[in-house]
C-alpha cells in the first residue's frame, strides 16, 4: 500500500482519470479532470482520501467512484455531466459535503451497501434519474442539501433503513422521495423544534406561526416527516464560528452578522411575483447573541407580524418567528445585550469592583473604630 499521495493543480483530459488503489491519506485537489474514458477519480481499498476543489466533468463513467474504501472526504468539487456524479460501493464513514453535483446522466449520488456516511450541504440538481439513490444502505445522514429538478426522484430508497434525512430542500423533483421496498423505516425529520425537510409540493398550513407545518408529510407508514418546514432551509456561518439557521418562504438575498453590536442583518425578497406574505423562523445560538431579541424591518417602516420571540428555547438556542407583507426588505435582528462572553466579562468586572468597594469600606470602618476606642488597662487582682 502507498500513503500520502498528492495530486494537485493538474489537468487530466482524455485518458482514464485518476486511480488510487490500496492507498491511505491520498490528496486530490484543485485539478481539472474532464472528458476521460473511465472514471474521473477512482479509489479502491483506500482510506482517508481527500478529494477537494476539483472540476470533474464530462467523464464517460462516474465522476468519483469509491469502492471498499472508508473515511474519505469529498468536498467543494464541481461534479457535472458524468455518468453517476458520486458512487460509493461498500464504502463507509465518509463525508460528501459542499459539492455541486448536477446534470449527470444517471444518478447524482449513488450509495450501495454502504453505511455511516454523511451527505450534507450539496447542490444536487437536474440529474437525469435520481438525485440520491440509497441501495441496501443504512445509518447514513442526508442533511442540508438542495435536491432540485431531478428528472426521476429526489431520493430513491431501496432496501435501506435507519437513514436520517432532514433539513433538505426538495424542490420540483418529478417525485420527491420514493421507497422502492415498503417496510424499511427511515427518519425524515430531526424532531421538534429542529424540524424536517422543505417539500415544494406540501400543501399543509401553519396555524400557530412557528414555521412548521400542522400536518405530516407522508411517504408511507414507515417514512413520515412529522415536522415539514413551511419554507426553505438555510444555514449561515458567522465570524464567531456559530451557525444561524433560517427557514423562510422568502428569497434570502444576503446574510450578515455584526459582532460589534450583536446584530443579524438580512435582505429578503419575494420568491414569486404574486407572493404577498413572507416569514422567517430563525434559530440563534445564545452564546452568539444574548436574548431577548428585537426585530426591525426597514428601520421600522414595515410592520413586524406574528412576532414570537421564544417560539422555542432550550439550553443553547432560541427559535424566533416573524412575518411581513412582501416586497424587498431589510431585516435586523438585534440582541438586547452583547454575546454571553462579553456579558460574562462585564459581570465579572462588576463583581470585582463591588468586592474592592466593600473591602475599602470595611477597612475604613475598622480604622475609625480603632481611632475612637478609649485606652484601657487590664488590672489583675490577687
Amino acid at each position: 500500500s502507498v500513503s500520502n499521495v498528492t495530486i494537485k493543480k493538474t489537468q487530466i483530459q482524455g485518458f482514464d482519470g485518476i486511480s488510487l488503489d490500496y492507498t491511505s491519506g491520498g490528496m486530490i485537489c484543485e485539478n481539472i479532470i474532464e472528458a476521460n474514458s473511465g472514471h474521473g477519480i477512482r479509489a479502491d481499498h483506500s482510506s482517508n482520501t481527500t478529494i477537494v476543489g476539483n472540476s470533474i466533468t464530462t467523464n464517460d463513467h462516474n465522476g468519483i467512484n469509491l469502492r471498499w474504501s472508508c473515511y474519505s472526504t469529498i468536498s467543494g468539487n464541481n461534479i457535472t455531466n458524468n455518468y453517476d456524479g458520486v458512487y460509493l460501493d461498500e464504502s463507509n464513514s465518509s463525508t460528501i459535503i459542499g459539492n455541486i453535483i448536477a446534470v449527470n446522466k444517471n444518478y447524482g449520488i449513488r450509495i450501495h451497501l454502504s453505511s455511516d456516511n454523511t451527505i450534507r450541504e450539496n447542490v444536487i440538481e437536474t440529474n437525469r434519474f435520481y438525485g440520491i439513490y440509497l441501495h441496501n444502505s443504512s445509518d447514513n445522514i442526508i442533511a442540508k442539501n438542495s435536491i432540485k429538478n431531478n428528472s426521476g426522484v429526489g431520493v430513491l430508497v431501496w432496501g435501506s433503513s435507519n437513514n436520517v434525512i432532514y433539513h433538505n430542500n426538495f424542490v420540483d423533483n418529478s417525485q420527491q422521495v420514493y421507497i422502492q421496498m415498503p417496510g424499511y423505516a427511515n427518519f425524515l425529520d430531526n424532531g421538534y423544534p429542529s424540524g424536517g425537510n422543505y417539500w415544494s409540493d406540501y400543501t399543509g398550513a401553519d396555524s400557530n406561526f412557528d414555521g412548521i407545518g400542522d400536518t405530516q408529510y407522508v411517504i408511507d407508514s414507515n417514512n413520515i416527516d412529522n415536522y415539514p418546514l413551511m419554507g426553505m432551509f438555510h444555514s449561515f456561518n458567522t465570524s464567531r464560528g456559530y451557525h444561524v439557521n433560517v427557514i423562510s418562504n422568502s428569497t434570502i438575498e444576503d446574510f450578515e452578522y455584526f459582532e460589534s453590536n450583536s446584530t443579524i442583518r438580512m435582505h429578503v425578497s419575494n420568491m414569486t411575483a404574486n407572493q404577498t406574505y413572507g416569514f422567517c423562523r430563525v434559530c440563534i445560538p445564545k452564546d452568539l447573541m444574548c436574548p431577548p431579541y428585537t426585530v426591525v424591518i426597514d428601520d421600522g417602516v414595515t410592520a413586524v407580524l406574528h412576532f414570537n420571540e421564544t417560539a422555542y428555547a432550550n439550553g443553547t438556542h432560541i427559535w424566533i418567528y416573524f412575518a411581513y407583507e412582501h416586497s424587498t426588505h431589510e431585516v435586523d435582528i438585534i440582541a438586547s445585550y452583547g454575546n454571553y462572553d462579553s456579558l460574562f466579562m462585564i459581570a465579572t468586572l462588576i463583581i470585582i469592583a463591588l468586592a474592592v468597594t466593600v473591602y475599602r469600606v470595611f477597612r475604613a470602618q475598622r480604622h475609625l473604630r480603632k481611632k475612637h476606642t478609649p485606652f484601657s488597662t487590664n488590672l489583675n487582682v490577687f
Side-chain angles (χ1 to χ4, degrees), residues 70-337:
C70 60
Y71 303 110
S72 300
T73 300
I74 300 169
S75 67
N77 302 283
N78 179 37
I79 307 168
T80 58
N81 202 25
N82 306 283
Y83 186 66
D84 287 349
V86 179
Y87 184 20
L88 269 57
D89 185 13
E90 297 187 59
S91 296
N92 305 320
S93 304
S94 293
T95 300
I96 304 171
I97 178 173
N99 304 279
I100 297 174
I101 305 172
V103 202
N104 293 287
K105 298 179 179 67
N106 199 36
Y107 312 137
I109 299 174
R110 184 177 182 182
I111 309 293
H112 176 244
L113 293 172
S114 301
S115 62
D116 298 313
N117 298 290
T118 298
I119 303 168
R120 64 186 178 94
E121 299 173 36
N122 302 282
V123 175
I124 306 167
E125 64 182 25
T126 325
N127 297 285
R128 183 178 179 188
F129 291 114
Y130 313 131
I132 300 174
Y133 179 21
L134 293 174
H135 186 202
N136 293 333
S137 297
S138 299
D139 301 304
N140 299 286
I141 297 173
I142 300 173
K144 301 182 181 181
N145 301 284
S146 173
I147 304 171
K148 181 179 179 181
N149 286 327
N150 295 284
S151 299
V153 179
V155 174
L156 174 66
V157 181
W158 184 317
S160 302
S161 63
N162 208 41
N163 296 289
V164 182
I165 304 171
Y166 72 101
H167 286 177
N168 301 285
N169 296 321
F170 287 93
V171 180
D172 296 336
N173 301 286
S174 295
Q175 186 170 349
Q176 308 285 36
V177 173
Y178 180 63
I179 309 297
Q180 182 70 33
M181 298 175 64
Y184 288 84
N186 298 276
F187 300 96
L188 297 184
D189 62 70
N190 196 36
Y192 192 89
S194 180
N197 302 278
Y198 171 73
W199 311 89
S200 62
D201 56 351
Y202 178 67
T203 57
D206 178 18
S207 60
N208 63 340
F209 301 109
D210 67 349
I212 302 292
D214 297 338
T215 56
Q216 300 169 325
Y217 186 94
V218 179
I219 307 299
D220 63 24
S221 60
N222 291 302
N223 295 274
I224 299 172
D225 186 345
N226 296 288
Y227 305 104
L229 309 181
M230 295 300 295
M232 288 193 187
F233 178 89
H234 309 266
S235 186
F236 300 100
N237 196 13
T238 67
S239 57
R240 297 187 63 230
Y242 295 97
H243 283 82
V244 175
N245 295 335
V246 181
I247 297 165
S248 181
N249 65 344
S250 303
T251 298
I252 299 179
E253 304 286 354
D254 55 35
F255 176 98
E256 294 179 279
Y257 167 71
F258 300 96
E259 187 172 356
S260 59
N261 58 359
S262 203
T263 297
I264 290 170
R265 175 169 293 167
M266 300 183 291
H267 290 90
V268 300
S269 62
N270 310 50
M271 289 190 70
T272 60
N274 60 352
Q275 184 180 7
T276 58
Y277 166 87
F279 79 87
C280 289
R281 180 185 195 254
V282 186
C283 175
I284 305 173
K286 292 179 182 178
D287 283 346
L288 177 70
M289 294 171 58
C290 185
Y293 310 120
T294 301
V295 174
V296 179
I297 302 178
D298 301 327
D299 291 327
V301 173
T302 300
V304 179
L305 307 175
H306 307 296
F307 179 50
N308 187 343
E309 61 183 326
T310 54
Y312 191 87
N314 60 23
T316 58
H317 292 77
I318 288 183
W319 284 256
I320 66 171
Y321 179 97
F322 56 90
Y324 36 81
E325 291 188 7
H326 229 315
S327 62
T328 299
H329 298 302
E330 181 177 272
V331 178
D332 289 324
I333 304 171
I334 305 164
S336 295
Y337 307 100

